[in-house]
Amino acid sequence: MEYLEHLEHAGHEKPGRSNEAPVLIEFDHVSFGYEDEPVLDDVSFAIRQGQAVALTGPNGCGKSTALRLINGLLFAKSGEYRFDGQKVDAAAMKNQTFAKRLHQRIGFVFQNPDTQLFCPSVQEEIAFGPRQMGLSEEEVQRRVDDMLDMFDLRKLAKRAPYRLSGGEKHKVAIACVLSMNPDVIVLDEPTNGLDQKTQRLLTRTLHDLNFAGKTVVLSTHDHDLVMDLAARELRMRG
Ligand SMILES: Nc1ncnc2c1ncn2[C@@H]1O[C@H](COP(=O)(O)OP(=O)(O)OP(=O)(O)O)[C@@H](O)[C@H]1O
Ligand SMILES: [Mg+2]
């Protein structure tokens, strides 16, 4: 990606909230490449608390890469990424308290859910995050139940995640992230592979979470999703 344009949809900003809220995610002249070839080249943008932001652009332009940087899985080669005012780099992420806090505040649903499912059953998978957060077993169970109902996963609760269909895995991965109630929800192509009903459910859920004040950052090729969430679109060029 060479540069990124800010395209605000007319009438889509939420006055009185997004424009005044503090900046949570800030890319300050960030460059990154996996090898010699640059993927992100001098990229700057800021996302405020409570905004819904969609990264769009052609295959290979760097959307997933930008989301991995936001989640502290990759680091800027030059420039700086700050989350809530704090620089996120390899040194910062070596500090376990900092890394744990970042991963608690930012929930990340990967483009390929296989990379994030590892527990012996769906219910264990959803319980894992809330348990890691030290919540009571009663609260863990409440959150698992909420997610099983919300995503219609009740009949799959005891199934091993690797024995699910692609769309079912994707639903579980989203449920896992939402069960931790993060401040920022980052989703890489969230509607990919989901049926119409589940897409509508997900869109409504993200809309409601955003309306309740959560920051939502996603990458997508689904223009309807961008419109339905009234998301600010950051378009990346290939
Ligand atoms: N692990 C990797 N090692 C080397 N190059 C990579 C790696 N992951 C991605 N790339 C390259 O980096 C560029 C950006 O990839 P990225 O996955 O961020 O694109 P994307 O915008 O998410 O694309 P898509 O719409 O297909 O999901 C591509 O040219 C890709 O080939
Ligand atoms: Mg991608």
Side-chain angles (χ1 to χ4, degrees):
M1 191 201 77
E2 282 192 285
Y3 66 91
L4 165 154
E5 298 169 339
H6 293 222
L7 288 181
E8 311 279 357
H9 287 301
H12 279 179
E13 280 300 315
K14 296 154 190 123
R17 188 152 61 91
S18 327
N19 291 331
E20 292 157 21
V23 169
L24 214 49
I25 290 168
E26 192 168 18
F27 273 37
D28 190 359
H29 298 283
V30 166
S31 296
F32 176 85
Y34 292 94
E35 285 137 19
D36 293 340
E37 190 104 341
V39 175
L40 304 179
D41 189 10
D42 198 23
V43 171
S44 297
F45 63 85
I47 297 175
R48 292 179 184 276
Q49 195 177 316
Q51 283 187 328
V53 173
L55 298 184
T56 64
N59 293 134
C61 69
K63 302 179 294 298
S64 297
T65 303
L67 297 184
R68 281 182 212 130
L69 267 105
I70 288 175
N71 283 278
L73 303 174
L74 298 172
F75 306 110
K77 298 251 160 94
S78 66
E80 203 169 287
Y81 159 46
R82 291 183 290 275
F83 179 74
D84 206 5
Q86 288 185 290
K87 183 175 174 178
V88 180
D89 61 7
M93 291 300 281
K94 279 203 181 100
N95 178 333
Q96 293 220 343
T97 312
F98 181 89
K100 196 171 167 197
R101 182 96 186 104
L102 187 85
H103 287 137
Q104 255 173 27
R105 292 194 65 193
I106 308 180
F108 186 26
V109 183
F110 289 72
Q111 187 164 2
N112 173 6
D114 281 324
T115 54
Q116 73 187 118
L117 303 176
F118 51 85
C119 289
S121 72
V122 167
Q123 60 188 17
E124 286 299 307
E125 196 73 65
I126 300 172
F128 183 83
R131 233 173 239 146
Q132 285 288 104
M133 289 166 70
L135 300 175
S136 71
E137 209 38 46
E138 197 185 349
E139 176 64 14
V140 170
Q141 211 42 59
R142 199 184 60 76
R143 292 195 183 190
V144 171
D145 284 338
D146 282 355
M147 289 301 138
L148 291 177
D149 288 338
M150 182 188 272
F151 288 101
D152 201 14
L153 290 166
R154 188 67 68 186
K155 58 186 181 306
L156 300 174
K158 295 196 162 55
R159 182 92 67 83
Y162 71 87
R163 292 178 53 227
L164 298 174
S165 78
E168 289 166 345
K169 282 182 195 167
H170 201 146
K171 285 206 275 187
V172 174
I174 295 166
C176 287
V177 164
L178 296 188
S179 72
M180 289 187 278
N181 193 25
D183 296 336
V184 185
I185 303 153
V186 178
L187 309 101
D188 200 351
E189 313 232 359
T191 51
N192 243 11
L194 297 181
D195 61 39
Q196 287 281 320
K197 183 175 160 231
T198 312
Q199 284 194 23
R200 277 198 297 274
L201 170 75
L202 180 66
T203 304
R204 198 169 59 243
T205 305
L206 293 177
H207 179 275
D208 291 353
L209 287 166
N210 181 235
F211 196 76
K214 300 283 182 196
T215 309
V216 176
V217 183
L218 49 87
S219 81
T220 192
H221 297 285
D222 178 351
H223 197 65
D224 288 345
L225 178 65
V226 181
M227 297 305 280
D228 290 343
L229 291 177
R232 171 182 162 207
E233 184 177 354
L234 297 179
R235 187 172 293 177
M236 298 167 81
R237 289 228 177 140

